[in-house]
């Protein structure tokens, strides 16, 4: 049987072993003398560091992208939450403003209600007002079931705004004093001037100026800017003494034969959220 190791092989292995031991011993001696790591340790450290560096490049890249994506998602979530809060604040601001306007309107109506000594009043809320008939009519939430009748006067926060022209069981249609259709019942009014009263009717509405118009007034009539205008009660449609507004401008008609009076309504006809229906004490 052939020998696995010959004498020559054994000698070479021993020599190699001695060389390695010598190198290790010399490396340790040199490292102690120079305060540096041994040669073999440096080789291992260099190889390990290089491998770690190679591995860390893609790992760091993936980690950086993951962190960027996480930060982006967090920013998106925070932005969404902040936007929801801002929208909530805006909605609450609008709600508060609406409540304040309704509160002011109700306060004015309470003062107005105290002045209606000959008539009972019924509170109602505007439920419908179409943009196409904005200056003509609206619908309130009180009808025949609440005692509302056709022809009753309807008041806003400071004065008359129209008449009930259609009554249903639980709601009613109100024709506004700013309605310009030909078949509208004109409200009889009186100008309370310093030299006496001047009677007339509301004949038109100037949408640009947002003013009621009182036409065909004699040139001799003593009416002036700032004079108070109230309902006269003539014709039996509405009670007398309900505030209509104040004179804003007095001009002459196109022929110069009579005066044309512009009246600023006491109630804001563009904002009618709550109303009072004037019910006479005899009817109620």
């Amino acid at each position: 049987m052939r020998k696995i190791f010959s004498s020559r092989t054994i000698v070479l292995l021993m020599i190699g072993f001695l060389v390695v031991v010598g190198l290790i011993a010399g490396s340790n001696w040199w490292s102690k003398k120079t305060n540096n790591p041994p040669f073999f340790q440096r080789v291992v450290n260099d190889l390990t560091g290089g491998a770690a560096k190679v591995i860390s490049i893609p790992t760091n890249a993936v980690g950086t992208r993951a962190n960027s994506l996480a930060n982006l998602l967090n920013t998106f979530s925070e932005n969404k939450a902040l936007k929801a809060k801002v929208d909530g604040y805006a909605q609450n601001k609008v709600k508060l403003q609406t409540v304040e306007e309704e509160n002011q309107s109700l306060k004015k109506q309470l003062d107005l209600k105290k002045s209606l000594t000959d008539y009972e009043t019924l509170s109602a809320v505007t439920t419908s007002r179409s943009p196409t008939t904005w200056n003509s009519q609206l619908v309130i939430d009180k009808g025949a079931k609440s005692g509302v009748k056709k022809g009753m006067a309807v008041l806003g926060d400071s004065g008359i705004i129209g008449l009930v022209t259609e009554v249903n069981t639980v709601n009613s249609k109100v024709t506004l004093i700013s309605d310009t259709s030909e078949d509208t019942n004109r409200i009889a009014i009186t100008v309370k001037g310093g030299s006496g009263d001047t009677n007339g009717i509301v004949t038109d509405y100037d949408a640009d100026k947002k003013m009621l118009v009182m036409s065909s007034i004699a040139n001799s009539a003593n009416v002036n800017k700032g004079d108070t205008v109230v309902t006269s009660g003539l014709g039996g449609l509405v009670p007398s003494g309900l505030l209509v507004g104040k004179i804003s401008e007095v001009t002459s008609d196109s022929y110069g034969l009579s005066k044309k009076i512009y009246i600023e309504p006491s109630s804001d006809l563009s904002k009618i959220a709550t109303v009072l229906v004037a019910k006479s004490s005899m009817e109620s």
Side-chain angles (χ1 to χ4, degrees):
M1 183 175 179
R2 186 178 181 182
K3 293 183 180 180
I4 299 176
F5 296 104
S6 63
S7 298
R8 184 179 179 183
T9 302
I10 294 173
V11 171
L12 291 174
L13 288 174
M14 290 180 65
I15 293 172
F17 176 76
L18 291 174
V19 171
V20 171
V21 171
L23 289 173
I24 294 174
S27 177
N28 289 334
W29 174 80
W30 180 258
S31 65
K32 289 179 180 181
K33 185 177 181 180
T34 59
N35 292 324
N36 290 324
F39 173 76
F40 290 103
Q41 184 177 346
R42 290 203 308 270
V43 172
V44 172
N45 290 342
D46 291 341
L47 291 174
T48 303
K53 185 176 182 181
V54 171
I55 295 173
S56 67
I57 292 175
T59 302
N60 290 336
V62 172
T64 301
R65 291 184 180 276
N67 289 334
S68 299
L69 181 60
N71 291 334
L72 180 61
L73 292 175
N74 289 335
T75 302
F76 177 77
S77 299
E78 291 177 359
N79 184 60
K80 187 176 181 180
L82 290 173
K83 186 177 180 180
K85 287 184 178 180
V86 170
D87 292 341
Y89 291 149
Q91 180 61 42
N92 289 334
K93 184 178 180 180
V94 172
K95 184 177 181 180
L96 179 60
Q97 184 178 359
T98 302
V99 171
E100 289 178 347
E101 290 177 354
E102 290 180 353
N103 188 43
Q104 292 177 0
S105 177
L106 291 171
K107 284 182 178 179
K108 290 181 179 180
Q109 286 182 2
L110 286 175
D111 294 335
L112 180 62
K113 191 173 182 179
K114 294 176 182 178
S115 67
L116 299 175
T117 56
D118 296 333
Y119 291 86
E120 293 183 359
T121 55
L122 174 67
S123 297
V125 175
T126 301
T127 59
S128 176
R129 191 175 185 184
S130 172
T132 57
T133 56
W134 189 262
N135 291 327
S136 302
Q137 62 187 34
L138 53 81
V139 177
I140 58 175
D141 66 343
K142 293 295 188 298
K145 188 177 180 180
S146 302
V148 178
K149 295 183 180 180
K150 184 177 180 179
M152 287 182 172
V154 180
L155 302 99
D157 53 14
S158 301
I160 188 169
I161 61 166
L163 301 174
V164 175
T165 53
E166 182 181 303
V167 181
N168 302 306
T169 304
V170 294
N171 58 54
S172 301
K173 181 190 294 184
V174 177
T175 298
L176 302 175
I177 56 176
S178 54
D179 182 28
T180 57
S181 57
E182 294 181 358
D183 58 346
T184 300
N185 291 324
R186 303 300 180 184
I187 297 177
I189 56 178
T190 297
V191 178
K192 295 292 185 180
S195 301
D197 297 345
T198 302
N199 293 322
I201 60 173
V202 177
T203 57
D204 200 358
Y205 178 74
D206 191 317
D208 295 330
K209 295 183 177 181
K210 296 183 179 180
M211 300 285 181
L212 301 170
V213 179
M214 183 180 182
S215 303
S216 303
I217 303 301
N219 284 327
S220 58
N222 188 11
V223 291
N224 300 286
K225 181 179 180 180
D227 286 349
T228 300
V229 181
V230 299
T231 57
S232 65
L234 300 177
L237 289 176
V238 295
S240 61
L242 299 180
L243 183 62
V244 176
K246 289 186 177 182
I247 294 179
S248 175
E249 182 182 354
V250 179
T251 62
S252 298
D253 63 9
S254 56
Y255 300 101
L257 301 177
S258 60
K259 291 183 176 181
K260 187 175 183 180
I261 301 172
Y262 290 90
I263 304 168
E264 181 181 1
S266 57
S267 293
D268 188 350
L269 300 178
S270 64
K271 298 179 181 179
I272 307 175
T274 58
V275 300
L276 292 175
V277 180
K279 300 168 61 178
S280 67
S281 56
M282 293 180 62
E283 290 176 334
S284 58

